[in-house]
Amino acid sequence: MSEIKLKLFFMALLTSLFLFGFKSNAQKTIKSEKEFLITDYGSKSDGKTLNTIAIQKTIDAAFQNKGGRVIFPKGTFLSGSIILKSNVTLYFEEGSVLLGSTNSKDYSNIAFDGRPVSPKNDDNSQMALIVAHKANNIALKGKGKIDGQGLKLALNIDSLHHAGVAVDPKYSLRRNRPNETMRPKLFRFSQCDTVLVEGLKAGEASCWGLSFELCTNLTLDNLTIVNRSYWNNDGIDITDCKNVKVVNCDINAADDGICLKSYYPGYYNDSIYIANCTIRSSASAIKFGTASVGGFKNVIIRDIKVYDTFRSAIAIESVDGGVIENIDVSNIQAINTGNAIFIRLGQRSGDKPGSIKNVSIKNIKIQVPFGRPDINYDLRGPEVDFFHNPFPSSIVGLKGYRIENVILENIEIKYPGRASKAMAYIALHRMNQVPEAVQDYPEFSMFGELPSYGFYVRHVNGIQMKNIKLTLEETDFRPAFIFDDVQNLKMKAIEIPMEKQNQIVFKDVIQATLENTLEAQKIEIKNQ
């Protein structure tokens, strides 16, 4: 068994053991029979009365009882920030709605004491409709709905800024909106252990949707998340958490669908399982980063459906010094999605680049359109602001810091073609003009025009491609594959359109094997 296969085997074994043990951890979540009805503590279900104090009294009563179920009955309950405490379940009966206030003064900027120091602590909002800090054995369950009223809230925050009442020092004049630090999230859970969120409909925040940092034993199951009211509307954000399961979720987000982030040096996301989810996004469906200080280890992603998504179906990025290793992605189907696979090792911050190694991506089928796939969104991702042909999948490291040990197997990508030599054309003899973009924000379009249509691979050591099929709706004059500064390349059973030769381009490639792949398709470019 090869070294990379052995590492991936042990990763799968460890994750299976984690999932086996995780079920018992999740079962520890609140079993107390005592119930606390929020209307018994003064909450009104008219959708107009501010119930923050009454709901908090109910939670506090359950907490003082050493646990219990806080019941939201049928009706609409308006509230500002509420704090969830240990051994308490919020249970939403069918027909119940927790409605976020549209008054920014109703949200508390909670100080999360005892957190590790992060160079990026101020990058996102500390406010939320539901807050939990160092709370254990907590849950949100039921068949109700949590609605942040994000558009009205964000527009009110915007109006207060322009009126000079609550000025945002980081207000974006370029994009005409208040900074995300001024806009509350839906959830903000930090340093919690044994968390279950199950069965709910949630979303419409003014910023991120469900945000978890430095948490352990987290389960998100059977959620319907629609978070597309305003900008920075991620669906789920998981930051430096351990033992996480996200399953059976339907996510529709104006920003990234499921986003793994790492803000804290010495911490990283570890043992993450994401499966059986459907994602629509005006950014990327599943993304590692952009914040990538500590890193991401032992992540399994299975059985994901993606549609109408502007950026990448899967984006794996280390640009802040983080370590990414042992990533296993399989069974992804994406239609009308702007980019298939994006893997990037960069250095926008940190003393030195991080690393990306042991990544397996298998059983992938993706259709890339010619135009932008999120055209029907009210809030769309920023346009690519230069002329370009359709972008290929990219796997790009740095000079002297290569991405290591990547397996791509059983992958079918349907590209639109229609590439024109008159549209931002980069000829093969000018490949050195593709920028390194070491410190740039990572994105599938970050290198500008690329001289291949299928895969662009640069600064990689150890890459296996097996059973790769690329198809074109219309002719593309560019080659299918470009490999630049690549070592230990193995290609087997590659199927590409046979319209012309020279579809596989090598530049500074060392130790390459092409099996069941026409050598006539290969051309080697000398050093430039």
Side-chain angles (χ1 to χ4, degrees), residues 132-136 138 189-195 214-216:
H133 179 52
K134 295 184 177 178
N136 301 326
I138 56 177
F189 289 14
S190 177
Q191 293 176 281
C192 298
D193 178 60
T194 310
V195 180
L214 299 164
C215 294
T216 55

Side-chain angles (χ1 to χ4, degrees), residues 256-272:
D256 297 317
I258 299 175
C259 193
L260 306 182
K261 295 179 178 291
S262 179
Y263 282 108
Y264 298 98
Y267 295 82
Y268 51 88
N269 283 297
D270 186 11
S271 299
I272 312 295

Side-chain angles (χ1 to χ4, degrees), residues 30-36 65-69 87:
I30 320 308
K31 293 185 178 180
S32 172
E33 296 296 327
K34 187 167 179 62
E35 296 186 347
F36 298 81
N65 183 63
K66 297 185 178 179
R69 284 161 51 104
N87 302 314

Side-chain angles (χ1 to χ4, degrees), residues 212-229:
F212 307 89
E213 69 165 23
L214 299 164
C215 294
T216 55
N217 300 317
L218 167 65
T219 298
L220 309 179
D221 189 1
N222 192 30
L223 301 176
T224 300
I225 299 172
V226 179
N227 204 40
R228 46 179 294 185
S229 291

Side-chain angles (χ1 to χ4, degrees), residues 135-320:
N136 301 326
N137 298 319
I138 56 177
L140 295 92
K141 301 170 65 175
K143 297 183 179 180
K145 182 178 182 181
I146 303 173
D147 182 346
Q149 296 200 97
L151 179 58
K152 290 181 180 179
L153 175 57
L155 292 179
N156 284 342
I157 294 169
D158 184 78
S159 296
L160 291 172
H161 168 80
H162 290 293
V165 175
V167 175
D168 176 4
K170 296 182 179 180
Y171 190 91
S172 175
L173 293 174
R174 178 170 176 260
R175 293 180 175 172
N176 293 313
R177 64 176 184 254
N179 185 270
E180 60 188 286
T181 59
M182 301 292 288
R183 294 181 269 120
K185 302 173 181 176
L186 199 69
F187 292 7
R188 178 82 168 92
F189 289 14
S190 177
Q191 293 176 281
C192 298
D193 178 60
T194 310
V195 180
L196 173 64
V197 186
E198 182 180 53
L200 300 173
K201 296 180 180 178
E204 306 303 5
S206 64
C207 190
W208 297 357
L210 280 58
S211 175
F212 307 89
E213 69 165 23
L214 299 164
C215 294
T216 55
N217 300 317
L218 167 65
T219 298
L220 309 179
D221 189 1
N222 192 30
L223 301 176
T224 300
I225 299 172
V226 179
N227 204 40
R228 46 179 294 185
S229 291
Y230 203 66
W231 304 99
N232 309 110
N233 269 187
D234 290 4
I236 297 171
D237 290 276
I238 297 168
T239 301
D240 294 319
C241 293
K242 184 176 182 179
N243 294 353
V244 176
K245 184 164 67 170
V246 182
V247 292
N248 309 317
C249 292
D250 190 331
I251 301 167
N252 187 341
D255 210 316
D256 297 317
I258 299 175
C259 193
L260 306 182
K261 295 179 178 291
S262 179
Y263 282 108
Y264 298 98
Y267 295 82
Y268 51 88
N269 283 297
D270 186 11
S271 299
I272 312 295
Y273 181 77
I274 301 170
N276 195 34
C277 294
T278 299
I279 304 173
R280 181 178 188 241
S281 166
S282 195
S284 291
I286 297 179
K287 177 179 174 181
F288 295 56
T290 297
S292 46
V293 175
F296 317 89
K297 298 181 181 181
N298 307 318
V299 181
I300 289 182
I301 300 171
R302 293 272 190 275
D303 302 314
I304 306 296
K305 293 183 179 179
V306 179
Y307 69 104
D308 296 353
T309 288
F310 176 45
R311 297 178 183 169
S312 304
I314 179 74
I316 301 173
E317 307 163 357
S318 173
V319 294
D320 298 317

Side-chain angles (χ1 to χ4, degrees), residues 389-506:
N389 288 299
F391 293 103
S393 291
S394 299
I395 304 172
V396 181
L398 293 171
K399 287 182 178 179
Y401 295 91
R402 295 182 177 92
I403 295 170
E404 299 182 66
N405 298 336
V406 177
I407 294 177
L408 304 175
E409 186 173 342
N410 299 333
I411 293 175
E412 181 178 347
I413 307 176
K414 184 177 183 179
Y415 286 103
R418 295 179 61 184
S420 167
K421 288 186 178 182
M423 183 68 76
Y425 174 43
I426 299 292
L428 292 181
H429 68 275
R430 292 192 287 118
M431 281 170 50
N432 60 339
Q433 292 183 5
V434 178
E436 292 287 340
V438 175
Q439 296 182 329
D440 288 9
Y441 185 91
E443 197 57 84
F444 72 94
S445 58
M446 66 182 295
F447 303 109
E449 173 72 5
L450 286 171
S452 58
Y453 76 80
F455 280 87
Y456 180 78
V457 181
R458 182 170 62 175
H459 306 317
V460 176
N461 180 15
I463 179 167
Q464 299 179 30
M465 292 185 164
K466 181 179 179 181
N467 293 332
I468 309 294
K469 180 180 180 180
L470 305 182
T471 61
L472 289 168
E473 293 183 6
E474 297 186 39
T475 300
D476 196 309
F477 72 94
R478 298 171 297 176
F481 296 87
I482 286 181
F483 299 93
D484 184 356
D485 182 28
V486 173
Q487 298 180 4
N488 301 307
L489 165 67
K490 295 182 179 179
M491 303 183 75
K492 181 177 181 180
I494 308 298
E495 184 177 344
I496 48 183
M498 298 296 293
E499 298 172 355
K500 61 178 183 178
Q501 294 186 348
N502 304 335
Q503 290 278 56
I504 302 172
V505 177
F506 284 3

